[in-house]
């Protein structure tokens, strides 16, 4: 039986080892890291996953970021990801379990819309993420525009047709 825990239940070295295994040791050069530079992950929306034997096999981190509009208006966002599962354990539904929990928690208590860099077909089908409102968004690095996704949460809708640059929340 799998069990979800708060991510802070795991050591930083264990978290880094899992992320290195899932994404490689060069992962720090990715655009997602530039967007959230200097931020700490949000404990209330970040999870560790243990398998039935108690082994740490997956995690999901969420980060406080913002879209700074071309008009100077700052829109707070919660950046979802990485969603990481040990390569040998991928395909067992662990990533879906982590995302299901995040969406449940975000729909109950998030104070900002969600955003992520991900596969629109997958994250749209299961959790309603879309690139429809992100066409004017820019990132501090390369990203396929169709993979820049957003999702409103109850009580915190994403304003339509914003243009601006993503970065850490001040």
């Amino acid at each position: 039986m799998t069990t979800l825990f708060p991510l802070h239940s795991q050591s930083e070295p264990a978290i880094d080892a899992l992320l290195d295994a899932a994404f490689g040791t060069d992962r720090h050069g990715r655009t997602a890291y530039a967007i959230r530079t200097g931020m700490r992950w949000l404990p209330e929306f970040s999870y560790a996953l243990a398998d039935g034997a108690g082994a740490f096999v997956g995690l999901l981190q969420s980060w406080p970021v913002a879209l700074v509009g071309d008009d100077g208006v700052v829109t707070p966002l919660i950046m979802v990801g990485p969603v990481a599962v040990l390569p040998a354990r991928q395909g067992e539904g662990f990533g879906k379990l982590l995302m299901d929990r995040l969406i449940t928690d975000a729909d109950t208590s998030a104070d900002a819309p969600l955003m992520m860099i991900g596969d629109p077909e997958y994250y749209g089908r299961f959790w309603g993420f879309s690139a429809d409102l992100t066409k004017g968004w820019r990132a501090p690095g390369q990203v396929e525009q169709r993979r820049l996704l957003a999702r409103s949460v109850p009580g915190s809708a994403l304003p339509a047709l914003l243009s601006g640059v993503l970065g850490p929340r001040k």
Side-chain angles (χ1 to χ4, degrees), residues 35-83:
I35 293 171
R36 62 184 192 245
T37 297
M39 298 286 95
R40 289 282 304 151
W41 41 268
L42 297 165
E44 65 272 29
F45 300 117
S46 298
Y47 316 98
L49 183 72
D51 67 8
F56 179 36
V57 296
L59 67 81
L60 183 150
Q61 291 176 314
S62 299
W63 306 82
V65 300
L67 180 74
V68 178
D70 294 337
D71 59 2
V73 174
V74 176
T75 302
L77 300 166
I78 296 172
M79 184 174 192
V80 178
V83 180

Side-chain angles (χ1 to χ4, degrees), residues 20-161:
D20 285 348
F23 298 110
T25 56
D26 62 344
R27 62 188 164 85
H28 296 280
R30 294 180 177 206
T31 298
Y33 282 80
I35 293 171
R36 62 184 192 245
T37 297
M39 298 286 95
R40 289 282 304 151
W41 41 268
L42 297 165
E44 65 272 29
F45 300 117
S46 298
Y47 316 98
L49 183 72
D51 67 8
F56 179 36
V57 296
L59 67 81
L60 183 150
Q61 291 176 314
S62 299
W63 306 82
V65 300
L67 180 74
V68 178
D70 294 337
D71 59 2
V73 174
V74 176
T75 302
L77 300 166
I78 296 172
M79 184 174 192
V80 178
V83 180
V85 176
L86 290 174
R89 303 302 302 270
Q90 291 176 2
E92 296 182 41
F94 294 140
K96 187 173 186 314
L97 182 65
L98 288 159
M99 281 297 299
D100 285 346
R101 174 62 181 271
L102 169 71
I103 295 303
T104 297
D105 289 351
D107 281 352
T108 302
S109 61
D111 63 354
L114 306 177
M115 64 81 49
M116 70 185 320
I117 299 171
D119 177 26
E121 293 78 19
Y122 180 72
Y123 290 101
R125 178 178 60 177
F126 289 109
W127 301 286
F129 283 86
S130 169
D132 291 346
L133 297 178
T134 66
K135 292 177 182 17
W137 295 14
R138 298 179 306 280
Q142 296 206 349
V143 64
E144 289 180 67
Q145 196 66 39
R146 69 177 213 84
R147 294 176 50 81
L148 201 51
L149 309 175
R151 179 189 185 275
S152 293
V153 295
S156 190
L158 190 64
L161 305 174

